[in-house]
Amino acid sequence: MKIRVKFTKHGPVRYVGHLDMMRYFQKALRRAGTDVSYSEGYSPHPIMSFASPLGVGMESDAEYFDLQVESSLSSEEEAARLNRQMADGIQVVSWRLLPEHAKKAMAQTAAIDYGISLQEGHPLPCEKGEWKKKMEEFLGQEQILVLKKTKKNEVETDIRSLVFSADASAADEGGEVFARLCSESGNSLNVKLFLEAFCNFCGRPYDMLSYRVCRKEVYYKQEQEDGNSIYLPLEEYGEPIEGDTL
Amino acid sequence: MRQTALPDEILMQVDKPARYIGGEINSAQKDPAEVAIRFCMCFPDVYEIGMSHLGIQVLYGMFNDREDVYCERVYSPWTDLDALMREAHIPLFSLETQSPIKDFDFLGITIQYEMCYTNILQVLDLSDIPLLAKDRGEEDPIVVGGGPCTYNPEPIADFFDLFYIGEGEVSYDALFELYKEKKRTGMDRREFLHQAGKIPGIYAPGLYEDSYHEDGTLAGFEPVYDDLPRTIQKVAVTDFDQVYYPKAPVVPFIKATQDRVMLEIQRGCIRGCRFCQAGMIYRPNREKNVETLKKLAVEMLDNTGHDEISLVSLSTSDYKELDELVSFLLDGLREKRIELTLPSLRIDAVALDLMKRIKGVNQSPLTFAPEAGSQRLRDVINKGLSEEEILEGAGLAFESGWDKVKLYFMLGLPTETDEDAREIPQLAEKIAERYYELPKERRKRRIAITMVTSFFVPKPFTPFQWACQLPPDGFLHRSHEVAESLKEQLNQRSITYHWHESRTAQMEGVLARGDRRLGKVILKAYESGCFYDAWEDHFDYDKWTKAFKECGLSMEFYTQRPREEDELFPWDFIDCGVTKPFLLREWKRARGGIVTPNCREQCTGCGCRVYGGGVCFENQG
């Protein structure tokens, strides 16, 4: 059976990189006694895959991985068992059963929300009071051209359509900048690139140390009968497991 | 939520910032205000190396089992962070509570190899602790060193308040009790060191004085107080089976070099290889009961979640109940998909059978450590491994499907000639020929043999402590001989050859058998920018040469000078169990090419029977 696990990552563990998080969960699952399914072959490993790598230094309210298990207790019990094995700053918040034919979390990922808090004392693109206005102007452009690095070279791309929404009004009161960015495979916008483009637009240098980024949610896209589509959190693709065991 | 000592802008700039955040699974969490003693344990190298060290995990667990002690950890900041910390004046901090090292009662440093000596100074320097022990005040931590290099602590004596000679499980409780008394009674630092120097295994270097003959050799070595021992006897565990072992070692976030459960099956070695310091200083050989090991293995795997377990010892094949232990582990581990690794196996029919049971015939190479190319030289070093045994082991392995072989050798061994070096590729050739004796249909591909040579470094407390070391160009000449001889072999295309840096070996040789006068050289080298010397890219030979010149000392005095049989060595005040007369006997037998039987075959009276346990008391009624 396929399980989708959602966890949060805050505090110093935000410096633990993506590959190390995978190793961390492999060991945590063993300590928790989760009935994990293993791959066949020469060196068997747990069948698990992460939704979207989180950059080193970023926090998250919504990290996801899919896991194949042989059996599962209730969602509540499985999450509690794992949480007894978590390091400070990491917490499992949901454990959901996926339909058997569900695509992997990574393939389903369509959009990601970010909360960007501004670090006082660092160079920022706007003064207080200008944020809302500047962001609206930024989004009001026909196109937003940036240099996107590929494996071979840099290409100029228009990222306007990849910024689904952004709101900086809270930043004028010292709050966060919010952004929902497209994150389909082959067509995703890195939050750093978004910030860099905004700084360019404001005519100010981009310094990654000026921002502390927290991933708020990761979404899949669901087509509606009327032809429109809505974005739903990845966990909602699965069902909570009630009661005792399956 | 825990706070990091390093600000975000630094953590975002450095390589692998998770090295510095602490908070790993199974790391100890206590309130520093609630304990009597704060101990910071240091491995003076980068995190991934330091976290792989078993000894620290043992002491860390043992200390933290005491309610009155909080033991934390610190490793050397990598060069990128080193520069940033100096620039921003950030003091070095512990991982657990991220607090300054200077606030601790003890800084314990494990000293595993000579080339980390400058890293010790880096740690002290970044901690803002005076580098020289004599300059430290009442508020500074007590800096205590342990580990194999403390069997000749003299080159680094100036930097330490205390050395712990022997196995950590024995005397730390006594040291902690004394420290609590110091706090209670207001005993001053010097008096504390004086009293500590009377605890078994504890050496207070500042309370001993050295003097020299005109030729530069040691003339005398005396304590300044009459009640301090003239000889420091190594402390060793007698009941090794029941001694403390960490059941829940710390699990790093980032991948350490040893990313697995390490199960110590025995300590000490029954073989008496004459070049091997570990084989002498960890005597007597003591085994853990197989039932104890089974229980430990299960608990450690459950507590860490590691997917691999490795049996740790100097010579796995010599563990008496290896077969039973491996069978138990394989039965229990297979369904949990846990991998078992057995390092240090002597390749023979038994070992091959074990290897096949563990992983089946696989792509990892078959490893032999003949150490010397010729049988004559293998007898000199007492490596009880004959050419027949190597060829037979290899032959059996080839028949089972192996086709990769790795061979380890040393160059520059005592009595070695060019001819001995030239025999190294000849041995590889014989192994290759053995492979081609297999019928053609059973050979999947060409045999791949790798020969690796390192340069021999004579170490204290080995029969070769009297030996001269080859100079760097002598080393290079020998590796050239190996390369030339390789070209004459029929199967040369199947054999590759790698060799290690020769100047590192010379430096290691100087520090290994050095005396107290080297302290100022090490200090000067550090001040001129040397650290991470164990990392070839960072080792700066010219800076070291310059430091020697400025201090008026020569490297050759320590490496190439012939030593008289009755010379007083800087480490002679330490009694590691193995006696000097035994070592001298072995040095003479070596030069005569006479092999000495292993401890299980026959006791040869090395002196370690006084420890009252282990192999010395097997089958002796």
Side-chain angles (χ1 to χ4, degrees), chain A residues 5-17:
Chain A
V5 181
K6 180 183 186 180
F7 67 94
T8 61
K9 187 182 178 189
H10 293 285
V13 290
R14 69 183 181 279
Y15 292 106
V16 178

Side-chain angles (χ1 to χ4, degrees), chain B residues 132-152:
Chain B
L132 297 175
K134 68 176 171 58
D135 297 338
R136 286 176 203 145
E138 295 297 328
E139 294 305 310
D140 289 308
I142 304 289
V143 181
V144 50
C149 289
T150 61
Y151 286 86
N152 177 21

